[in-house]
Amino acid sequence: KNEVEQSPQNLTAQEGEFITINCSYSVGISALHWLQQHPGGGIVSLFMLSSGKKKHGRLIATINIQEKHSSLHITASHPRDSAVYICAVSDTGNQFYFGTGTSLTVIP
Amino acid sequence: SQTIHQWPATLVQPVGSPLSLECTVEGTSNPNLYWYRQAAGRGLQLLFYSVGIGQISSEVPQNLSASRPQDRQFILSSKKLLLSDSGFYLCAWSAQMNTEAFFGQGTRLTVV
């Protein structure tokens, strides 16, 4: 069993839809990261959070420490949001564990 | 299946010493290769990427360099380490026409 599980693996949405990507983890963490990888491979760090909720533009990330669960939401999705979204956690020893990613395609 | 190897897992080096981190990929050919760094309390930062042997692109100016002597080998180097080079370094690969990236286990570098 992986330390970090993401769902769904693949997601196709119509432009404007509200999107949710889920992440569950099994280790004790110091922080959880949401990453975005664009076609071509470059990775952008979207959020780093250890509690509560963070918002940046149309992106919202939440974390529930007790349930060991995080969600990434995209409001009013757009084709430029098409990318692979990766959940990663760093444990108290700063070891990183990565989910396998969610491939999102937003259709105009 | 494809695998990525990165070593060492942890490294403690004195200021001014050289650095060499190695990353190799198995089971695929002509991958895109990446070096990322995460400094304490910060997100991942792309340092270098390579689309082929001898082709290196640098995203940020720094005290580090990268080389790709073979198709599936990517090396991160420094001639003289600085304290600010401390951090967690990740190697990754992606297939040419694929958006997924696969990461190595990372190297925890502490410069003292």
Side-chain angles (χ1 to χ4, degrees):
Chain A
K1 186 180 187 303
N2 295 332
E3 288 83 2
V4 180
E5 299 278 356
Q6 273 184 250
S7 63
Q9 283 190 313
N10 296 284
L11 183 57
T12 301
Q14 292 289 330
E15 182 174 359
E17 283 186 8
F18 181 86
I19 290 165
T20 296
I21 300 171
N22 294 301
C23 175
S24 297
Y25 54 91
S26 59
V27 297
I29 68 168
S30 59
L32 183 143
H33 309 256
W34 280 104
L35 312 172
Q36 180 190 52
Q37 184 178 30
H38 288 280
I43 292 183
V44 173
S45 178
L46 298 175
F47 295 103
M48 183 173 77
L49 64 165
S50 55
S51 65
K53 174 179 170 178
K54 286 190 176 180
K55 184 175 188 292
H56 183 230
R58 294 180 295 106
L59 302 177
I60 304 166
T62 64
I63 187 169
N64 185 316
I65 298 295
Q66 287 73 29
E67 295 184 0
K68 294 189 174 182
H69 181 268
S70 175
S71 293
L72 176 68
H73 306 284
I74 305 175
T75 61
S77 59
H78 190 275
R80 64 175 174 267
D81 297 326
S82 298
V84 175
Y85 292 84
I86 302 167
C87 174
V89 300
S90 50
D91 68 11
T92 51
N94 264 340
Q95 175 67 48
F96 273 75
Y97 302 92
F98 289 85
T100 54
T102 296
S103 181
L104 170 66
T105 303
V106 181
I107 300 170
Chain B
S1 64
Q2 301 88 357
T3 55
I4 179 168
H5 303 281
Q6 183 183 342
W7 68 92
T10 58
L11 190 60
V12 180
Q13 292 283 94
V15 168
S17 65
L19 173 74
S20 181
L21 302 181
E22 188 162 346
C23 173
T24 59
V25 180
E26 297 176 358
T28 187
S29 59
N30 199 29
N32 290 343
L33 295 172
Y34 311 88
W35 277 111
Y36 294 88
R37 174 173 62 194
Q38 174 142 22
R42 302 176 67 180
L44 278 175
Q45 179 185 42
L46 178 63
L47 300 177
F48 300 97
Y49 69 93
S50 171
V51 299
I53 295 174
Q55 300 178 61
I56 310 294
S57 297
S58 175
E59 288 294 299
V60 294
Q62 58 221 320
N63 182 43
L64 302 167
S65 62
S67 61
R68 184 170 178 173
Q70 300 180 44
D71 181 45
R72 288 169 288 180
Q73 184 184 30
F74 205 23
I75 298 172
L76 183 69
S77 304
S78 174
K79 292 182 179 178
K80 289 186 178 181
L81 283 169
L82 305 172
L83 286 174
S84 58
D85 293 323
S86 294
F88 188 71
Y89 290 82
L90 280 161
C91 178
W93 77 271
S94 67
Q96 289 285 349
M97 301 301 291
N98 195 313
T99 59
E100 286 186 290
F102 301 91
F103 290 83
Q105 289 301 301
T107 297
R108 170 69 56 197
L109 171 65
T110 304
V111 182
V112 296

